[in-house]
Amino acid sequence: MKKEPFVAKEQLDQIVKEYPTPFHLYDEKGIRANAKALKEAFSWNPGFKEYFAVKATPNPFLINILKECGCGCDCSSMTELMLADALHFDGQDIMFSSNATPASEFQFANEIGAIINLDDFTHIDFLEKTIGSIPETISCRYNPGGVFKISNSIMDNPGDAKYGFTTEQLFEGFRVLKEKGAKHFGIHAFLASNTVTNEYYPILAKTLFEVAVKLKEETGADIRFINLSGGIGIPYHPDQEPNDIYAIGEGVRKVYEEILVPAGMGDVAIYTELGRFMLGPFGCLVTTAIHEKHTHKEYIGCDACAVNLMRPAMYGAYHHITVMGKENQACDHKYDITGSLCENNDKFAIDRMLPKIEIGDLLLIHDTGAHGFSMGYNYNGKLKSAELLLKEDGDVQLIRRAETPEDYFATFDCFDILKDRKKR
Ligand SMILES: *Cc1c(COP(=O)(O)O)cnc(C)c1O
């Protein structure tokens, strides 16, 4: 599928006059349309709810848009819980899916009424000691081990993943939780990441539905929801076929009717915790080409770096790049597109065929709306960029300002670098 920017060159030229590059830009219209499609695809399930994975894009303005679209949120840490609380989500609209969880985070999650999704059998006792009892509604994360296959291809390797209860622990866990006072149960699993296939959710759902039926039979637990978690991917590469969310919803409905309905479990709610699918395609990183270098290879140096988008450096991930205004020119130049970190993996693209790039050209790096800004760090003393929202009415709103040196130095309480500098 051809990748087109959601913003036109003329508009971007206007935006960069007010907000210097680099920045992440998000597309409100696309976000809303996609959230609506997800809701429709699962409308056959009256209890359906998407809990947006906050870690993907922890920006309150964007999460508020998703909230308006009927989403809850899925938090993994204290600050994410604080963010959800500040946005006035109801407790039952906050999922707390965390691992190696500090006691203070269980405490706070419980205070704000979030649904706690336990990552491990030993966390049952830990939680009880921490908050004094077991909540009436509780969820457990399941990890069946082995490899996760679709047809004959291995999608991911849950047996190697640190998350979740084994099958035995899950059954024992439900018994113990019930004894300790839990009344309503959820089951959660996240077995493969960034799947660009309509089959992942239905296959995962089948595994979870089968185990849910057994759990109900053997422990008598009242299972209220099954959480398919994240993992629906996006086509980062133009050769990839995008997922069809309606086909995915339909695929899950089929197994629901095959397995849960005959077992008298036709009232179980389906939950999701999508991050990448909700925002990935609706964000981009805009950067300016500021240098060209001709050595053993041809390099374009830009004003963004891995601090703004870590996925290429961390996973060798492909992110499509559009040279703004040159969409229809031949891609007859081979470049490495680099940032300025003292790290040779700081490259947004390697050996990428692109139109001839001039200094000053705007490069638009696609699909940075999830796990983009949020994975950023401060290596080399680089500062995090601004985040902007392209609103439905065409206006642009600054939804996070760029970091300043003051922000970067703010944690040296007893060593005021900036004041010292002024004295000299
Ligand atoms: C990261 C994560 C998600 C979201 O994953 P995506 O790949 O962005 O869909 C959902 N749930 C949990 C528990 C996660 O850790």
Side-chain angles (χ1 to χ4, degrees):
M1 202 182 68
K2 195 164 175 233
K3 285 213 166 266
E4 313 237 15
F6 56 77
V7 60
K9 177 166 191 307
E10 296 67 38
Q11 184 163 24
L12 205 52
D13 287 339
Q14 287 305 313
I15 295 171
V16 299
K17 277 187 199 154
E18 191 169 354
Y19 303 104
T21 58
F23 54 77
H24 285 266
L25 179 69
Y26 301 91
D27 170 26
E28 178 175 11
K29 202 191 223 171
I31 293 170
R32 286 188 188 273
N34 186 63
K36 187 162 168 265
L38 173 72
K39 208 172 165 188
E40 278 168 16
F42 284 89
S43 58
W44 54 266
N45 183 258
F48 175 77
K49 193 163 196 88
E50 151 70 2
Y51 290 79
F52 172 66
V54 171
K55 72 166 194 261
T57 325
N59 185 303
F61 293 90
L62 300 175
I63 296 172
N64 240 345
I65 294 174
L66 292 171
K67 185 169 183 252
E68 285 172 15
C69 298
C71 298
C73 58
D74 166 41
C75 302
S76 64
S77 66
M78 182 62 101
T79 50
E80 290 181 6
L81 287 167
M82 289 166 75
L83 190 52
D85 189 43
L87 291 171
H88 303 294
F89 280 96
D90 289 340
Q92 74 271 11
D93 292 341
I94 305 172
M95 189 69 61
F96 184 47
S97 294
S98 143
N99 69 94
T101 312
S104 56
E105 298 187 5
F106 274 141
Q107 228 148 20
F108 186 62
N110 183 56
E111 263 169 44
I112 64 174
I115 303 174
I116 293 175
N117 181 31
L118 294 173
D119 179 67
D120 186 45
F121 185 79
T122 64
H123 291 189
I124 298 171
D125 277 348
F126 186 84
L127 177 66
E128 189 183 33
K129 285 205 184 86
T130 303
I131 65 173
S133 62
I134 290 293
E136 280 199 2
T137 299
I138 189 96
S139 173
C140 296
R141 182 167 185 166
Y142 178 40
N143 181 343
V147 292
F148 188 86
K149 279 195 208 166
I150 295 183
S151 308
N152 274 325
S153 57
I154 294 175
M155 301 295 293
D156 223 319
N157 193 354
D160 225 18
K162 66 173 175 171
Y163 311 106
F165 293 54
T166 66
T167 307
E168 265 183 2
Q169 289 172 340
L170 190 65
F171 282 80
E172 186 56 20
F174 269 48
R175 283 189 199 100
V176 172
L177 284 164
K178 232 179 136 208
E179 271 169 33
K180 291 183 185 290
K183 296 203 161 55
H184 314 299
F185 289 80
I187 311 171
H188 167 285
F190 189 169
L191 303 185
S193 196
N194 191 27
T195 59
V196 190
T197 158
N198 296 332
E199 289 176 80
Y200 169 64
Y201 255 20
I203 293 175
L204 171 69
K206 184 166 187 284
T207 305
L208 288 179
F209 294 170
E210 282 168 354
V211 94
V213 170
K214 275 199 203 133
L215 277 166
K216 187 189 167 195
E217 280 169 3
E218 290 185 24
T219 69
D222 170 34
I223 296 168
R224 288 287 174 94
F225 63 86
I226 291 176
N227 185 343
L228 302 176
S229 188
I232 297 186
I234 58 169
Y236 285 101
H237 199 283
D239 287 350
Q240 285 176 300
E241 184 71 28
N243 285 318
D244 176 352
I245 197 63
Y246 294 99
I248 292 172
E250 197 47 30
V252 174
R253 187 182 65 79
K254 255 197 185 151
V255 278
Y256 189 98
E257 284 175 2
E258 268 166 37
I259 300 167
L260 288 185
V261 173
M265 296 174 76
D267 56 353
V268 171
I270 299 297
Y271 292 167
T272 57
E273 289 174 349
L274 298 166
R276 194 184 316 269
F277 180 79
M278 300 309 289
L279 292 190
F282 312 111
C284 60
L285 173 60
V286 180
T287 178
T288 305
I290 56 173
H291 289 286
E292 53 183 297
K293 173 166 176 153
H294 319 278
T295 55
H296 309 289
K297 297 182 87 172
E298 291 295 298
Y299 294 99
I300 295 294
C302 48
D303 61 2
C305 63
V307 160
N308 309 110
L309 175 67
M310 202 178 182
R311 297 186 70 258
M314 191 156 169
Y315 313 117
Y318 181 95
H319 278 265
H320 199 66
I321 296 176
T322 296
V323 184
M324 292 306 288
K326 299 187 174 175
E327 290 83 346
N328 298 318
Q329 292 185 18
C331 293
D332 52 4
H333 283 64
K334 192 193 267 186
Y335 292 116
D336 281 15
I337 308 292
T338 81
S340 55
L341 295 188
C342 307
E343 265 286 1
N344 197 42
N345 66 2
D346 183 18
K347 295 177 178 176
F348 293 118
I350 297 173
D351 295 334
R352 182 76 56 89
M353 296 307 295
L354 289 166
K356 181 168 172 44
I357 295 173
E358 250 87 32
I359 289 178
D361 279 350
L362 290 175
L363 308 184
L364 184 143
I365 304 179
H366 291 249
D367 300 318
T368 68
H371 311 295
F373 180 96
S374 63
M375 273 182 136
Y377 58 129
N378 280 113
Y379 197 45
N380 278 203
K382 295 286 176 181
L383 304 175
K384 292 188 195 159
S385 78
E387 292 181 290
L388 307 177
L389 179 64
L390 178 58
K391 305 217 289 189
E392 279 189 302
D393 62 11
D395 282 354
V396 171
Q397 184 186 358
L398 181 67
I399 56 172
R400 188 197 298 257
R401 67 162 170 81
E403 265 182 354
T404 63
E406 283 81 355
D407 297 319
Y408 181 72
F409 294 128
T411 41
F412 297 119
D413 283 339
C414 56
F415 192 82
D416 193 334
I417 288 178
L418 294 164
K419 200 162 63 193
D420 248 31
R421 201 166 153 258
K422 277 176 216 138
K423 269 192 244 147
R424 262 185 276 125

